[in-house]
Amino acid sequence: MHDTHTPSGLGMTIGGLARSADVNVETIRFYQRKGLMLEPLRRSGGIRRYAEADRSRLHFIKSAQRLGFSLDEIADLLQLEDGASCSQARIKAQAKLAGVRTRLEDLSRMENALEELIGLCNASRGMVRCPLIAALKDGTSSFAHSST
């Protein structure tokens, strides 16, 4: 995918763009291969120049990733980037939030199961088999029976 939005001689090199967004150059190239970022045409001297809009897009991608959006989901959000489709963006964010809440419930179950198993270890005395290892092996921990 190519773009001609940067006038010749202006803008950042890919290295400058990477530094300005605190990412690796290969990250930018990866996003270009995935179609998340445009690849400017080579100008005189054979150097591609990136505009402020490219840096803004890169920040958008990284911000969305920090919120847990996958690259495919980010591609969908980028289609809504003009802000005119707020209801569609809200629906996508609500779905993401539901997934986050499900993961939090799973993590809470894991926390409770680990606390239970650690408590069994603390209660163990003498020459007995480790209750934590036994529970994992036998599948008797409360988390071993959950849907995760």
Side-chain angles (χ1 to χ4, degrees), residues 111-124:
E111 176 185 35
N112 293 335
L114 285 168
E115 284 177 346
E116 175 187 324
L117 291 170
I118 290 168
L120 291 174
C121 282
N122 290 337
S124 177

Side-chain angles (χ1 to χ4, degrees), residues 4-116:
T4 58
H5 66 281
T6 306
S8 180
L10 301 178
M12 299 169 268
T13 63
I14 193 168
L17 176 62
R19 281 188 299 280
S20 74
D22 198 29
V23 299
N24 190 294
V25 167
E26 288 306 314
T27 300
I28 296 169
R29 290 186 178 130
F30 177 74
Y31 293 160
Q32 289 170 336
R33 286 190 303 274
K34 289 288 189 182
L36 296 173
M37 291 192 65
L38 301 174
E39 185 178 26
L41 295 174
R42 293 186 188 273
R43 299 296 175 179
S44 59
I47 297 176
R48 299 182 196 280
R49 294 290 176 170
Y50 293 83
E52 182 60 32
D54 297 306
R55 190 165 69 95
S56 178
R57 190 171 184 95
L58 189 52
H59 282 292
F60 182 103
I61 295 166
K62 297 308 288 179
S63 294
Q65 282 183 311
R66 283 191 293 277
L67 290 174
F69 287 98
S70 70
L71 293 181
D72 288 339
E73 292 168 329
I74 292 168
D76 290 342
L77 288 172
L78 285 167
Q79 298 298 313
L80 307 173
E81 188 178 20
D82 64 2
S85 305
C86 192
S87 62
Q88 290 177 1
R90 184 184 68 248
I91 290 167
K92 292 179 183 306
Q94 288 171 328
K96 180 54 64 182
L97 179 59
V100 166
R101 287 180 173 154
T102 298
R103 285 197 310 267
L104 286 172
E105 291 169 4
D106 289 343
L107 288 171
S108 180
R109 280 193 294 277
M110 290 168 61
E111 176 185 35
N112 293 335
L114 285 168
E115 284 177 346
E116 175 187 324

Side-chain angles (χ1 to χ4, degrees), residues 117 129-141:
L117 291 170
R129 191 168 115 184
C130 173
L132 188 149
I133 300 299
L136 293 173
K137 182 177 181 184
D138 300 338
T140 57
S141 76

